[in-house]
Amino acid sequence: MLQGTHDARAKVTNVKTILTAPGGIDLVVVKVETNQPGLYGLGCATFTQRIYGVEAAIENYMKPFLIGKDPSRIEDIWQSACVSGYWRSGPIMNNALSGIDMALWDIKGKLAGMPVYELLGGKCRDGIPLYRHADGEDEFAVEDNIHALMAEGYQYVRCQMGMYGGAGTDDMKLIATQYAKAKNIQPKRSPRTRTPGIYFDPEAYVKSVPRLFDHLRNKLGFGIEFIHDVHERVTPIAAVQLAKNLEQYHLFYLEDPVAPENIEWLKIMRQQTSTPISMGELFTNVNEYKSLIINQQIDYIRCHVSTIGGITPAKKLATLSEMCGVRTAWHGPGDISPIGVAANLHLDMSSTNFGIQEITPMNDQLREVFSGCPEIDNGYAYLSDKPGLGIDIDEEKAKQYPCQGGIPSWTMARTPDGTASRP
């Protein structure tokens, strides 16, 4: 079928779930096929820690729901699918819905002969600024890694020392990278027996962060933007203190300072400090953002697009944020597929209140399985003008990288006395 040729008889004929791990991280991809020759769409439904749950939701519920429907009716399909189980939201069903939603936008772009960002309002910028992660066992190693990223052209860097909470990580399923523990964070002594887990000391960690940024600003100045991710690892009052102590270092933003269960503390934080706050990668329902945006208690929506249901709700959330002076900072970790990366970038390109985009490097295996990955150059991402999301998948090559499943060790966080903690 010719690109841009609309056929009112287009119907969904099949929905496939593809599990693959070419980057060492389990990914879930949805392929929506139609009765038009060569016309299909791809979406990202990756919930790495529950891939088989998402696969079952797609195969048992989303697939029979979708077959026979007109793929152009994206809004109607999203709304009806969202309530088809009566109880709404949740990461498993939302990722299943997101995979379908992205695939339908991919199909619509192919029918229109346009990239998805054109359907969302067109370009708002010429390139998409990115940030990368710089980690290290101490402030000197972090500084060295920042220098390396600056040499690649990055003007925004997320700075961590010993990953989250200083604990480091050997779990390649987190970001396909190993990080050493922070050697200048001395955790408290544990009891004589230790329940298995990844141990960190929240009090020692939170004291180390201002020291890190004091070093970085003294060595690198204020000509580069810094981000730090608390990853909900400290108590709410400690998060308030940390935000105040970091104010002099002018962070671009402080991410996830509190857990979703404690978002009422953001009002207190806003009253106490001008450090910009990003929040929300753990939210699964767009309504969790509503009061934070309307009341200007956050500065960036830190949103995992597949976990809230895809492009359709994300665009609405971006529009609400724009009206309230809040900017976007979509979640871009290693545990989303290149299709999910493309969805983020199409939203970035078409949102005037874009703030920044996280990017995780793709290895050769990912680029082999997923063709059309965006170009990254000198700290910017560039989308092609291909219709739809612009990404394709080689299903045979995807089979060469089977998923492993299981529960990643990095989520088993514990404090020094053995108490289970937010990861």
Side-chain angles (χ1 to χ4, degrees):
M1 187 183 71
L2 294 176
Q3 292 172 349
T5 301
H6 178 71
D7 189 331
R9 296 173 298 172
K11 300 292 181 184
V12 174
T13 56
N14 191 28
V15 178
K16 297 174 66 175
T17 310
I18 304 166
L19 304 185
T20 185
I25 300 174
D26 295 343
L27 304 175
V28 183
V29 172
V30 176
K31 184 177 184 180
V32 175
E33 299 175 336
T34 74
N35 60 350
Q36 303 299 322
L39 179 62
Y40 60 85
L42 297 173
C44 182
T46 300
F47 180 6
T48 302
Q49 296 80 27
R50 297 291 186 270
I51 57 170
Y52 302 120
V54 175
E55 180 186 34
I58 295 166
E59 293 294 330
N60 295 327
Y61 301 106
M62 290 294 98
K63 179 176 178 176
F65 175 86
L66 201 63
I67 288 177
K69 287 186 167 59
D70 178 353
S72 68
R73 297 186 61 175
I74 298 175
E75 183 70 25
D76 180 72
I77 289 172
W78 194 95
Q79 294 291 347
S80 56
C82 181
V83 298
S84 65
Y86 182 55
W87 278 276
R88 296 180 280 281
S89 198
I92 289 177
M93 288 309 302
N94 273 0
N95 270 281
L97 177 57
S98 176
I100 299 298
D101 182 74
M102 291 183 194
L104 296 181
W105 279 102
D106 194 26
I107 290 171
K108 186 173 282 286
K110 291 172 180 176
L111 284 169
M114 294 180 179
V116 167
Y117 66 75
E118 293 287 7
L119 304 179
L120 297 175
K123 285 187 175 183
C124 289
R125 56 196 44 82
D126 298 314
I128 299 164
L130 307 170
Y131 79 81
R132 287 267 305 275
H133 302 171
D135 206 297
E137 64 180 7
D138 59 24
E139 60 268 34
F140 301 101
V142 178
E143 179 192 348
D144 289 343
N145 288 326
I146 293 171
H147 276 298
L149 292 174
M150 292 173 68
E152 293 182 39
Y154 289 93
Q155 302 170 93
Y156 303 79
V157 180
R158 193 188 80 171
C159 310
Q160 308 289 137
M161 192 162 59
M163 202 53 186
Y164 303 132
T169 181
D170 293 321
D171 192 337
M172 302 295 280
K173 287 194 171 187
L174 174 57
I175 49 175
T177 303
Q178 292 177 307
Y179 286 126
K181 291 183 179 180
K183 67 181 186 181
N184 60 359
I185 298 178
Q186 299 302 319
K188 298 180 184 67
R189 185 177 65 256
S190 293
R192 58 191 176 190
T193 59
R194 278 171 53 113
T195 301
I198 307 300
Y199 280 71
F200 77 103
D201 185 332
E203 291 82 20
Y205 151 69
V206 81
K207 292 182 179 73
S208 75
V209 179
R211 295 199 306 268
L212 169 64
F213 284 101
D214 186 67
H215 173 87
L216 295 178
R217 285 302 187 200
N218 282 324
K219 295 294 184 180
L220 299 171
F222 287 81
I224 182 169
E225 302 292 349
F226 289 149
I227 292 165
H228 182 74
D229 187 358
V230 178
H231 226 253
E232 55 170 353
R233 291 249 172 163
V234 301
T235 62
I237 191 61
V240 174
Q241 293 169 340
L242 178 61
K244 292 177 67 174
N245 290 337
L246 290 175
E247 195 168 307
Q248 60 186 308
Y249 304 114
H250 296 269
L251 266 60
F252 189 73
Y253 62 66
L254 185 67
E255 179 182 344
D256 282 352
V258 297
E261 297 85 355
N262 292 317
I263 58 173
E264 63 274 8
W265 279 83
L266 293 173
K267 180 179 180 180
I268 299 171
M269 186 174 293
R270 180 62 94 207
Q271 294 168 347
Q272 296 287 326
T273 176
S274 63
T275 295
I277 301 300
S278 74
M279 186 74 195
E281 80 179 50
L282 280 166
F283 292 172
T284 59
N285 189 313
V286 290
N287 291 300
E288 292 178 90
Y289 291 93
K290 189 168 18 177
S291 65
L292 300 181
I293 293 170
I294 292 172
N295 295 309
Q296 289 91 31
Q297 290 176 12
I298 58 174
D299 303 281
Y300 298 87
I301 50 171
R302 181 77 174 132
C303 178
H304 194 90
V305 171
S306 69
T307 302
I308 62 163
I311 292 172
T312 295
K315 184 60 177 178
K316 296 174 183 177
L317 192 60
T319 301
L320 173 63
S321 298
E322 177 191 347
M323 297 176 68
C324 298
V326 176
R327 294 194 280 176
T328 67
W330 311 119
H331 194 211
D335 52 345
I336 60 174
S337 73
I339 301 163
V341 172
N344 282 348
L345 296 177
H346 282 273
L347 287 161
D348 294 334
M349 187 62 80
S350 57
S351 299
T352 191
N353 60 320
F354 165 79
I356 192 63
Q357 178 61 58
E358 177 184 22
I359 197 75
T360 302
M362 299 180 195
N363 64 10
D364 292 340
Q365 290 81 9
L366 275 165
R367 293 184 177 275
E368 177 187 16
V369 171
F370 296 93
S371 59
C373 292
E375 179 188 359
I376 309 298
D377 179 52
N378 215 29
Y380 282 89
Y382 298 94
L383 285 164
S384 71
D385 58 359
K386 294 179 181 177
L389 292 172
I391 307 288
D392 208 346
I393 187 170
D394 186 322
E395 294 184 56
E396 291 304 311
K397 289 181 179 177
K399 293 176 183 176
Q400 298 174 16
Y401 304 98
C403 291
Q404 299 300 313
I407 298 175
S409 64
W410 69 269
T411 61
M412 301 294 103
R414 293 186 182 275
T415 54
D417 66 358
T419 300
S421 180
R422 301 287 187 265

